[in-house]
Amino acid sequence: RSIPNKLGGVIALVMSIAILFILPILHVNKSQGLQFYPLNQILFWYMVIIIILLTWIGARPVESPFILTGQILTMLYFSYYILNPMISKFWDKFLN
């Protein structure tokens, strides 16, 4: 629903699952937990809210406000996986 192109939707579906498998391999933070990364803690809860809203939007009918909301939430979902490592690296450099 969020991606109007059928091939784009399939690619987004595969990427949303593949990124969950790739993310632990790319984890290069100096600390293991999020307790030392306050901005990443905020991003984590931001991601939880996005997942809940995407689940809710998926249950709504395909109508005008829900389509745009789903597209925005999908972009925010994928932006999390770009922002999270960047903020972690920034925070590691900031602490050293």
Side-chain angles (χ1 to χ4, degrees):
R1 295 181 182 192
S2 296
I3 301 172
N5 185 356
K6 192 168 201 130
L7 178 62
V10 171
I11 291 171
L13 175 68
V14 170
M15 288 303 296
S16 67
I17 295 170
I19 204 163
L20 296 176
F21 288 109
I22 295 170
L23 196 61
I25 297 169
L26 298 177
H27 181 73
V28 292
N29 294 346
K30 294 182 180 180
S31 298
Q32 292 294 321
L34 283 178
Q35 67 266 23
F36 301 113
Y37 299 101
L39 295 175
N40 291 63
Q41 289 176 352
I42 294 168
L43 274 178
F44 170 77
W45 290 109
Y46 161 81
M47 182 65 168
V48 169
I49 292 169
I50 288 174
I51 290 173
I52 292 169
L53 288 174
L54 277 170
T55 304
W56 177 74
I57 286 293
R60 300 290 122 213
V62 183
E63 294 177 353
S64 178
F66 302 125
I67 294 172
L68 181 62
T69 305
Q71 290 173 343
I72 292 170
L73 288 171
T74 301
M75 297 215 3
L76 292 174
Y77 174 83
F78 285 110
S79 69
Y80 169 80
Y81 294 107
I82 296 169
L83 290 175
N84 194 27
M86 288 173 40
I87 292 176
S88 295
K89 287 180 184 180
F90 168 75
W91 200 253
D92 284 338
K93 288 181 182 180
F94 181 70
L95 291 177
N96 289 331

